[in-house]
Amino acid sequence: MSHHHSHGHGHGHHHHPTPGDNGRAFGIAIGLNTAFVAIEFIYGFIANSTALMADAGHNLSDVLGLGLAWGAALLTKSAPTRRFTYGMRGTTILAALANALLLMVACGAIAWEAVHRFAHPEPVAGTTVSIVAFVGVLINGFSAWLFVAGSKDDINVRGAYQHMAADALLSLGVVISGVVIIYTGWSWLDPVVSLVLVVVIVVGTWSLLRESIQMVLAGVPASVDATGVTAFLAAQPGVTEVHDVHIWAMSTTETALTAHLVMPGGYPGDAAIDEIVGHLREDFAIHHCTLQVEQGTTKHSSCCLHDGLEAHDDHDHDHDHDHDHDHDHHHGHSHAH
C-alpha cells in the first residue's frame, strides 16, 4: 500500500508581528547608542576616567547586539532557496543566543573588574561619571522601552530589550553609587553595586539563554503545548494513532511541525488535511505543517528515530516529552513512501 505524504502550509496567516515591525525601534536604538558610545569615550578621555572609557567599550557591545538582532530580523524576510529551504529564518534564533551570550560575557567582565577594584581601590571621578551614567540611563531606558511590545512574542527582540534594560540598570547603579560616594567617600560601594547588578542581570538573562539554546537544538518552543497538539491530532476523524510528532522553531516567531497520522481508511482528502492545518495554525500557533498519512501496515524500521521504540509502544506513542522533540527536524521529510 502506498502512503500519502501531505503538506499543509500556514505561512503568512498567523498574527504574530512580522520582523519588519521592529525596524524603526532597531534604527533609533542603534543610532542613539552609537552616539552615546562616542560621547562617553570622549568624556572618559577628558576626565581621565578609565571606568567611563571601559563602559564605552561595553556599550559598543550593545550596538553589536542590536546590529545582530536587526540583521537577523531583516534576513527572515529572505525567500527560501534550494539550499536554505526555510530561508534565513533561523538567524533570529542565533541572534537571540548571541545576545544572551554577549550579556553573560559582559557580566563576567564587570564582575572581574569589580573584584579587582576591591583589591585595588581607585578614586571614582564622581560628578562627571554620575552625569554621563545618567545620560546612559535615559538612552538605554528609552531604547529598552522601544522593544517592550515586540519582546512579548519574539525572543530575538527580547534579547535586544534585555540588553538595553540591563545597561540602563547598570548605569543607574553607577549614578546612585557615584552620588553616594561624592557625599560619603565610600569607594567600596561602587564594586558592591556592580556585583549586585551583575547577579540581577544574570538571573534575568538565564531564561533567554535557556530558551534560545532549546530553539537551536530544535526543542519544542515554550509557547507550544506539545501534549495538546498530539491530543488534537489523535482526535481527528479516522486517526487511530499519532507518532513521530516533531515541533521546532523555524525562527523566533514561527513554528514548524511534522507528524505521522495512522489512518487505516486511507488518505482523507486535501480539504480534511487543510482543515487540520488551519486548526494547528489558529489554536497552536504552528505556521508550517507536514502531515504524513499512513495506513499502519509497516513499522518504518528504516528510520533512525524508530530504534528501540517497540519497547515503548504501549505507553509512549504520543511522544509528548521534550526529549522526543529534540531529534532532527527533517525527519518528516525523509521517508520515501
Side-chain angles (χ1 to χ4, degrees):
M1 288 264 187
S2 64
H3 297 290
H4 299 275
H5 197 181
S6 311
H7 300 268
H9 302 284
H11 300 319
H13 302 291
H14 54 92
H15 303 295
H16 285 283
T18 60
D21 290 349
N22 298 292
R24 188 162 164 270
F26 278 118
I28 294 170
I30 288 174
L32 284 173
N33 279 275
T34 303
F36 181 58
V37 166
I39 292 166
E40 193 173 27
F41 186 82
I42 291 165
Y43 271 94
F45 186 76
I46 292 169
N48 197 28
S49 169
T50 53
L52 268 185
M53 288 190 281
D55 197 49
H58 168 61
N59 280 315
L60 196 58
S61 80
D62 296 346
V63 178
L64 175 63
L66 287 170
L68 280 171
W70 194 11
L74 293 173
L75 281 172
T76 59
K77 293 193 246 185
S78 61
T81 65
R82 286 183 184 276
R83 180 168 294 278
F84 297 101
T85 55
Y86 289 111
M88 291 291 168
R89 287 171 162 79
T91 54
T92 53
I93 299 171
L94 293 178
L97 177 59
N99 249 319
L101 291 174
L102 270 173
L103 266 170
M104 290 297 191
V105 169
C107 283
I110 292 162
W112 179 268
E113 176 64 22
V115 170
H116 177 74
R117 270 182 285 158
F118 272 124
H120 307 282
E122 294 175 13
V124 178
T127 309
T128 304
V129 172
S130 295
I131 291 170
V132 175
F134 182 69
V135 175
V137 173
L138 296 177
I139 289 175
N140 288 315
F142 177 68
S143 298
W145 176 78
L146 290 172
F147 295 113
V148 168
S151 68
K152 292 180 179 68
D153 297 305
D154 186 345
I155 73 161
N156 181 41
V157 178
R158 194 160 90 230
Y161 164 72
Q162 286 187 208
H163 215 134
M164 293 295 98
D167 273 5
L169 201 61
L170 283 169
S171 296
L172 185 61
V174 172
V175 172
I176 294 168
S177 62
V179 170
V180 173
I181 288 166
I182 289 168
Y183 289 103
T184 65
W186 296 345
S187 56
W188 53 265
L189 191 64
D190 190 51
V192 167
V193 169
S194 295
L195 288 174
V196 170
L197 291 174
V198 160
V199 171
V200 171
I201 292 164
V202 167
V203 170
T205 306
W206 189 252
S207 64
L208 174 69
L209 181 64
R210 187 183 67 239
E211 201 172 331
S212 54
I213 288 174
Q214 283 175 349
M215 284 187 169
V216 167
L217 295 175
V220 180
S223 60
V224 177
D225 175 11
T227 306
V229 169
T230 305
F232 165 76
L233 291 172
Q236 296 309 298
V239 175
T240 58
E241 184 191 337
V242 177
H243 62 97
D244 286 282
V245 178
H246 299 284
I247 306 169
W248 71 98
M250 292 187 294
S251 72
T252 49
T253 58
E254 295 170 304
T255 303
L257 168 146
T258 61
H260 294 206
L261 308 180
V262 178
M263 305 180 79
Y267 183 64
D270 288 356
I273 294 296
D274 285 348
E275 187 176 349
I276 293 172
V277 168
H279 280 297
L280 287 170
R281 184 178 63 243
E282 295 302 322
D283 300 338
F284 298 98
I286 293 172
H287 314 108
H288 175 88
C289 304
T290 303
L291 301 173
Q292 179 165 306
V293 175
E294 304 162 354
Q295 290 179 300
T297 57
T298 68
K299 288 182 179 286
H300 305 289
S301 57
S302 62
C303 175
C304 66
L305 299 185
H306 277 77
D307 294 343
L309 285 186
E310 285 84 356
H312 301 280
D313 277 350
D314 292 334
H315 61 277
D316 202 23
H317 264 313
D318 56 356
H319 293 241
D320 59 357
H321 299 296
D322 287 344
H323 68 271
D324 294 309
H325 300 295
D326 288 341
H327 296 307
D328 183 0
H329 57 248
H330 295 297
H331 169 67
H333 303 271
S334 63
H335 295 300
H337 294 302

